Amino acid sequence: QVQLVESGGDSVQVGGSLRLSCAISGSIYSSNCMAWFRQVPGKEREKVASMYTSGGGESYGDSAKGRFTISQDNGKSALYLQMRSLKPEDTAMYYCAAGYAQGGGCWFAPIWKYTYWGQGTQVTVSS
């Protein structure tokens, strides 16, 4: 059983930075992809960034390109999302997720392929 616990969310000013962490426990070997999603009330959950659990394959949504960086530690016990130049539209609940994608890579895997989810951490960006 995989457990994911996010942390690092906070309230920041426009242009600020945050580093989200996702602590991973349990066997991750049934998953080959990890990703960060975000969601605001009334909207669908949006994939922000993804990568392979083995490393590599980092991919980003248009809103994240050039500002966010997804990474994991060498022991595969944590996933990170470094966020810079934050904007009010980045305000959301951020979730980390793990799953198995058979083809097409982690970015193009549909949300239902991500079977393990954390409880989320809130990011609020104010001007």
Side-chain angles (χ1 to χ4, degrees):
Q1 184 72 16
V2 174
Q3 289 188 321
L4 307 174
V5 180
E6 302 94 335
S7 61
D10 205 348
S11 295
V12 297
Q13 297 289 315
V14 169
S17 298
L18 280 175
R19 188 192 197 206
L20 304 184
S21 299
C22 175
I24 305 164
S25 61
S27 175
I28 199 69
Y29 298 108
S30 62
S31 302
N32 66 345
C33 293
M34 295 208 68
W36 286 98
F37 290 78
R38 67 186 183 187
Q39 188 172 26
V40 297
K43 292 191 176 182
E44 292 186 355
R45 197 165 290 191
E46 171 193 13
K47 191 182 295 179
V48 175
S50 64
M51 67 182 298
Y52 289 108
T53 56
S54 58
E58 293 88 347
S59 299
Y60 301 90
D62 289 341
S63 62
K65 286 178 182 176
R67 299 189 301 126
F68 294 2
T69 303
I70 187 172
S71 63
Q72 59 183 315
D73 70 354
N74 291 333
K76 308 294 188 289
S77 62
L79 183 73
Y80 305 104
L81 185 68
Q82 178 69 52
M83 304 188 294
R84 299 179 177 87
S85 301
L86 284 163
K87 306 174 182 180
E89 51 263 43
D90 294 319
T91 295
M93 185 72 78
Y94 283 72
Y95 300 89
C96 70
Y100 187 84
Q102 291 179 306
C106 299
W107 182 255
F108 294 104
I111 190 170
W112 58 268
K113 287 283 190 179
Y114 288 88
T115 53
Y116 300 105
W117 293 84
Q119 83 291 346
T121 186
Q122 178 68 37
V123 172
T124 303
V125 184
S126 57
S127 55

